[in-house]
Amino acid sequence: MKILVVGTGAREHAIVHALAHEADRPGAEPHELHAAPGNPGIGGLATLHAVDQNDGAAVAALATHLGVDLVVVGPEAPLVAGVGDAVREAGIPVFGPSAEAARLEGSKAFAKDVMAAASVPTALAHVCTDVDQVAAAVDAFGAPYVIKDDGLAAGKGVVVTEDRQAALEHAAACFATPRRAADGTPEDPRVVVEEYLDGPEVSLFCVSDGATVVPLAPAQDFKRAFDADAGPNTGGMGAYSPLPWAPEGLVDEVVTRVAQPTIDEMARRGTPFVGVLYVGLALTSRGTRVVEFNARFGDPETQSVLTRLATPLSAVMLAAAQGRLAEIGALRWHDDASVTVVVAAHGYPGAVRGGDPITGIDAAEDVEGVHVLHAGTSRADDGGLVASGGRVLSVVARGADLAEARRRAYAAVDRIVLPGSHHRTDIAAKAAAGDVTLAG
């Protein structure tokens, strides 16, 4: 197949990596892979094209020029901007929802409305349009306070805090940020205040063709910047899969009670959802509850999940794009475990320092079971690899179990040199030790 992957991050590198390694299967033919605009790591596996990922017309023109069989739109911003719509209008199969369907991520208030209509279990919430309403809502729910920017915020629009003043300040900052709809018209900012959900969180990706739902393996990510879940929220500092502590039947429960009703409700509204519905869950003392929906693969969970997928990813995505997902059946998985550790730039998740040189990736990949995915990297004038974003690299390791995958991941991280960088040292530590407890 000839496939174009849209995006620049480690999630897109993970997708390209999975597609490239399908050629390792006996008798398999290699795909012709393209990326727009991609990153230096993706460039080692695919042809890069300097196209704005948020420009639907430009992406559609590139896909048409290349004659691709499938376009995969990775990040949320192009989806909400309607890049998938533009490519579909050009007659090319797209893995990724329309702009209307992507509102499940683009607006948390819209997602709550869909969940209510589909009877999906989720946190109680108030949608607020000013700080006074937020103050009333946080006082009604009590601490810990959960404050969410209604729109896209690159994984950093959520604050969970015991500090009422910090909660109100985050809300005020959300209201002060200008918002625009997908068509460019200004929108009034909104903030969603939710009740706090106890218990461990789980991420489950569910692939849909607008009617059929096929779940992937669950994963868990780590949102806080530092060990022991200290520090501010980030886009994700690491992840692992599978979850040996997850309740039996969890995936079936989520498909039956959450994913399928949501997909059915979107179809009923005339906006069928095609792509990945990311279901963020909390396993609370009152049962499974939805924390959030995303309209694409999550980062960094994708890095750990896709490396364990035995079913060809290309077949799954093309079947979803063409409305044939029921033909795929249950997915096949490798029996091993995967741990992903994110190496972040100096200052992340605040103001980051760019331009620091990166070395040691080849040495890291010499560790058995390890590959390194690029997120915030670029080439300097001299051709050297440098940091150019907050989350710079994802170090992905597979092992017979989580303990072995952890050892390999951190052995590889230790070989990477990035001045001023930081990473969490406790990714999957509790799960590997059997110390994850469910709310009771």
Side-chain angles (χ1 to χ4, degrees):
M1 289 173 58
K2 189 181 293 188
I3 304 171
L4 171 63
V5 177
V6 177
T8 65
R11 166 186 45 236
E12 289 73 44
H13 194 177
I15 292 169
V16 170
H17 183 271
L19 294 171
H21 284 272
E22 288 180 12
D24 298 341
R25 305 170 192 273
E29 292 291 329
H31 300 302
E32 180 182 321
L33 301 176
H34 298 264
N39 64 40
I42 294 173
L45 300 171
T47 302
L48 303 186
H49 301 270
V51 168
D52 181 354
Q53 66 179 9
N54 296 317
D55 185 336
V59 172
L62 174 63
T64 300
H65 171 72
L66 294 172
V68 300
D69 303 298
L70 176 67
V71 173
V72 180
V73 183
E76 59 273 26
L79 292 169
V80 171
V83 169
D85 301 86
V87 176
R88 282 191 187 89
E89 289 171 5
I92 299 171
V94 181
F95 185 79
S98 66
E100 278 297 309
R103 290 182 67 205
L104 279 175
E105 177 168 4
S107 169
K108 294 175 180 63
F110 174 77
K112 287 291 186 183
D113 182 67
V114 171
M115 283 187 259
S119 299
V120 169
T122 186
L124 298 176
H126 290 294
V127 179
C128 305
T129 56
D130 60 43
V131 174
D132 288 341
Q133 291 180 7
V134 172
V138 300
D139 290 341
F141 283 135
Y145 308 111
V146 181
I147 312 296
K148 297 183 176 183
D149 192 331
D150 181 57
L152 297 179
K156 291 177 282 186
V158 179
V159 163
V160 181
T161 179
E162 297 276 354
D163 186 333
R164 183 179 184 275
Q165 186 59 35
L168 297 181
E169 289 174 358
H170 178 66
C174 294
F175 288 127
T177 303
R179 298 292 179 196
R180 291 190 178 276
D183 62 3
T185 58
E187 284 187 327
D188 292 330
R190 295 185 295 181
V191 166
V192 177
V193 181
E194 292 187 356
E195 65 171 331
Y196 176 75
L197 299 176
D198 60 355
E201 294 192 5
V202 174
S203 301
L204 183 66
F205 304 143
C206 294
V207 178
S208 171
D209 61 3
T212 300
V213 173
V214 174
L216 277 70
Q220 186 177 59
D221 76 332
F222 294 75
K223 289 296 188 189
R224 298 286 185 167
F226 308 120
D227 286 3
D229 291 329
N233 266 7
T234 71
M237 295 298 293
Y240 67 94
S241 178
L243 310 182
W245 50 267
E248 186 176 355
L250 175 64
V251 172
D252 289 342
E253 176 195 0
V254 174
V255 170
T256 301
R257 298 188 63 204
V258 177
Q260 191 67 61
T262 299
I263 296 302
D264 292 344
E265 173 63 17
M266 293 298 289
R268 187 191 68 78
R269 294 178 179 218
T271 53
F273 186 99
V274 176
V276 173
L277 178 66
Y278 168 116
V279 184
L281 304 158
L283 307 188
T284 79
S285 55
R286 295 182 289 118
T288 304
R289 297 288 186 271
V290 174
V291 176
E292 65 175 346
F293 283 147
N294 290 334
R296 37 71 192 182
F297 283 117
D299 181 342
E301 300 98 314
T302 299
Q303 290 88 299
S304 279
V305 171
L306 290 189
T307 194
R308 297 185 54 242
L309 180 63
T311 302
L313 178 63
S314 60
V316 176
M317 295 193 296
L318 183 62
Q322 294 180 333
R324 302 182 292 101
L325 199 55
E327 300 175 8
I328 295 293
L331 303 182
R332 304 188 310 277
W333 298 92
H334 298 293
D335 292 332
D336 57 7
S338 175
V339 171
T340 298
V341 179
V342 170
V343 178
H346 180 277
Y348 182 79
V352 299
R353 187 175 72 199
D356 286 318
I358 305 166
T359 57
I361 290 179
D362 289 343
E365 291 188 325
D366 285 339
V367 177
E368 184 178 358
V370 168
H371 61 276
V372 178
L373 302 173
H374 293 225
T377 69
S378 60
R379 294 290 180 187
D381 292 340
D382 63 2
L385 191 68
V386 297
S388 59
R391 294 183 296 167
V392 180
L393 301 169
S394 287
V395 178
V396 185
R398 287 171 59 177
D401 54 24
L402 287 175
E404 182 175 66
R406 268 180 50 79
R407 286 193 296 271
R408 290 175 174 179
Y410 284 108
V413 169
D414 287 344
R415 299 186 180 192
I416 294 172
V417 178
L418 172 57
S421 66
H422 66 96
H423 63 273
R424 284 186 59 157
T425 65
D426 61 348
I427 304 301
K430 289 186 176 180
D435 288 341
V436 178
T437 56
L438 300 176

